[in-house]
Amino acid sequence: MLQSKILSTIRKYSLFSSLDRVLVGVSGGPDSLVLLYLLDELKVKLGIKIIVAHLNHGLRGKSSDSDERFVETIANNLGLDFLSKKIKWPSSKSNPPNEETLRKLRYNFLFELAKRHKVNKVALAHTLDDQAETVLMRIIRGAGLYGLISILPKRNIESFISPEKGKDKKSFLTEFTVIRPMIEISRDEIEDYLKTKRIKARIDKTNFNRVFLRNKIRHGVLRDLNKLNPNIKQSLARLAQQAAIDYDYLHQRAKRLVNFYSDSTIKVDLKKFRNLHTALQRMVVRVALERITGTLRTFTSRHWDEIQNLVNLKPYGSIVHLTKDIHIKKDKKNIVIYAKKR
């Protein structure tokens, strides 16, 4: 029974606490719809309050508006609060937005709502299939250890840069967690649940458009791999889980080696840094950059090569410019990672 399976995942990863205010992202598609129904079935047992959130991307005209009304109707029928927003694209925009742009829009929408409505959990409907697809996407693009982690069951958001605040100002959120209660549930199980309950979900036709890499993997690569290994989704999920365990160990060790002087300046003892294993050196730099910038999306292997060259070959006083605003300086005692003041 799917309810007992999701409950097992919730308990394994301690996803909820009694009195949690939970924002559930619901597109109206099969995955998010099942998540909403399952959490509604369990809300009394879990002691949580559910708020339904829907982002209308506005990319499919009347179909997008119908999705929004569909989700609102379900929320009303369940007696749940409903929040939505419609994206208005410039009339001059000829090409559809890419996957990353849409992903950022969704997260910005959910995080803004979480802050405004004092929500401490945001529940998303990522599944076992999504995990497998994401691992493959990361491998294809050349992921390291962090990239292999892919989709975590639970992730604390310590800071969030709000687009409404302007790109130079940070809006800090505390005790805010993104959770994925269906990360161990397959898409086949979801479809079986919908059939059993006679629930009809909305279908987004863009999910079949192979212009997007994820769809190429979902409808092509993953199906071919499944012929070689019928348990390929579970195998890829285990790879992500093992990567998460290894990453967490390195991350915890690295944090003990970093001196946080301020939100914009971090120092690391040069001699100790040189004596570290390369894996720990990289993690120390990641911890520092994560603290200063709030994101690691612009940090590449090229940047790491520049840092190694600075530490091992360049004279004291040398500076590496990782980005326009983030710099690393080598002095006689420390490596200093800092954000340039504007």
Side-chain angles (χ1 to χ4, degrees):
M1 189 177 179
L2 209 55
Q3 189 185 102
S4 60
K5 189 167 184 178
I6 194 174
L7 196 55
S8 173
T9 302
I10 288 168
R11 287 170 175 162
K12 183 194 297 187
Y13 298 107
S14 302
L15 299 185
F16 293 110
S17 297
S18 182
L19 303 180
D20 274 345
R21 289 173 58 82
V22 185
L23 189 71
V24 184
V26 183
S27 67
D31 300 348
S32 63
L33 207 56
V34 170
L35 174 63
L36 178 59
Y37 276 114
L38 286 172
L39 291 183
D40 185 67
E41 292 171 10
L42 292 167
K43 66 184 177 184
V44 175
K45 179 180 285 190
L46 296 171
I48 61 175
K49 175 178 172 55
I50 297 172
I51 301 171
V52 180
H54 175 85
L55 181 64
N56 182 343
H57 291 109
L59 294 174
R60 296 180 292 115
K62 292 181 179 179
S63 292
S64 293
D65 294 336
S66 296
D67 290 348
E68 182 176 350
R69 289 193 297 271
F70 173 77
V71 176
E72 183 176 14
T73 299
I74 290 174
N76 290 338
N77 290 341
L78 295 174
L80 303 173
D81 292 339
F82 175 76
L83 303 170
S84 66
K85 177 182 177 180
K86 183 174 182 177
I87 302 296
K88 294 182 180 179
W89 300 99
S91 56
S92 59
K93 197 173 183 69
S94 56
N95 297 321
N98 58 34
E99 290 173 275
E100 182 61 16
T101 298
L102 293 174
R103 189 192 73 84
K104 285 181 179 178
L105 284 171
R106 286 193 295 271
Y107 279 96
N108 286 341
F109 165 68
L110 292 169
F111 291 179
E112 284 289 347
L113 286 182
K115 180 188 174 189
R116 193 178 310 145
H117 295 274
K118 297 180 180 178
V119 164
N120 58 318
K121 299 283 173 67
V122 172
L124 302 178
H126 293 100
T127 66
L128 179 70
D129 293 60
D130 291 316
Q131 180 74 291
E133 292 160 9
T134 304
V135 172
L136 285 176
M137 285 174 67
R138 300 282 176 84
I139 291 172
I140 289 168
R141 288 170 172 165
L145 182 62
Y146 181 74
L148 289 178
I149 294 172
S150 300
I151 305 173
L152 290 168
K154 183 178 182 179
R155 182 167 70 94
N156 293 325
I157 306 296
E158 294 179 357
S159 65
F160 163 56
I161 303 175
S162 168
E164 295 182 11
K165 299 288 182 184
K167 60 184 178 181
D168 297 331
K169 296 181 180 179
K170 284 187 179 180
S171 171
F172 290 95
L173 301 174
T174 56
E175 297 181 11
F176 176 75
T177 309
V178 173
I179 58 172
R180 298 173 174 95
M182 299 208 304
I183 198 64
E184 296 179 323
I185 294 173
S186 71
R187 199 159 283 132
D188 289 340
E189 289 174 300
I190 286 168
E191 290 175 1
D192 288 342
Y193 177 91
L194 291 171
K195 287 177 183 176
T196 301
K197 298 284 186 178
R198 296 183 180 179
I199 298 169
K200 190 173 182 180
R202 301 286 293 180
I203 302 299
D204 184 349
K205 292 181 180 178
T206 60
N207 287 335
F208 300 94
N209 186 342
R210 297 206 182 193
V211 168
F212 298 113
L213 176 58
R214 182 175 292 275
N215 291 343
K216 289 178 182 177
I217 291 172
R218 178 179 299 171
H219 303 296
V221 177
L222 202 50
R223 287 183 178 179
D224 290 338
L225 289 174
N226 195 64
K227 295 173 185 176
L228 300 175
N229 176 6
N231 296 314
I232 186 63
K233 295 173 188 176
Q234 289 81 1
S235 297
L236 290 168
R238 281 196 299 273
L239 174 61
Q241 187 178 45
Q242 188 58 55
I245 292 169
D246 293 349
Y247 182 89
D248 184 62
Y249 171 74
L250 291 171
H251 193 266
Q252 294 303 321
R253 282 205 61 190
K255 283 200 294 187
R256 294 196 289 268
L257 297 166
V258 175
N259 294 313
F260 299 105
Y261 277 77
S262 70
D263 286 333
S264 60
T265 302
I266 287 172
K267 294 183 180 181
V268 181
D269 183 277
L270 179 60
K271 185 177 180 180
K272 288 181 180 179
F273 185 84
R274 280 175 166 163
N275 290 331
L276 293 174
H277 188 281
T278 304
L280 261 176
Q281 287 183 343
R282 293 174 72 105
M283 190 62 71
V284 165
V285 173
R286 288 182 69 91
V287 167
L289 291 174
E290 202 170 29
R291 175 65 178 264
I292 292 173
T293 68
T295 179
L296 293 169
R297 287 187 173 275
T298 58
F299 185 62
T300 67
S301 58
R302 177 181 62 81
H303 292 128
W304 172 244
D305 292 340
E306 291 177 355
I307 293 168
Q308 277 192 311
N309 189 48
L310 171 71
V311 171
N312 298 319
L313 301 175
K314 290 192 176 184
Y316 300 125
S318 297
I319 298 174
V320 166
H321 307 284
L322 295 182
T323 67
K324 184 174 67 175
D325 300 316
I326 306 299
H327 312 291
I328 297 185
K329 181 180 180 180
K330 173 184 173 184
D331 62 31
K332 290 185 178 180
K333 291 185 177 181
N334 299 294
I335 300 167
V336 185
I337 304 173
Y338 61 97
K340 183 179 178 182
K341 293 182 179 178
R342 298 192 178 190

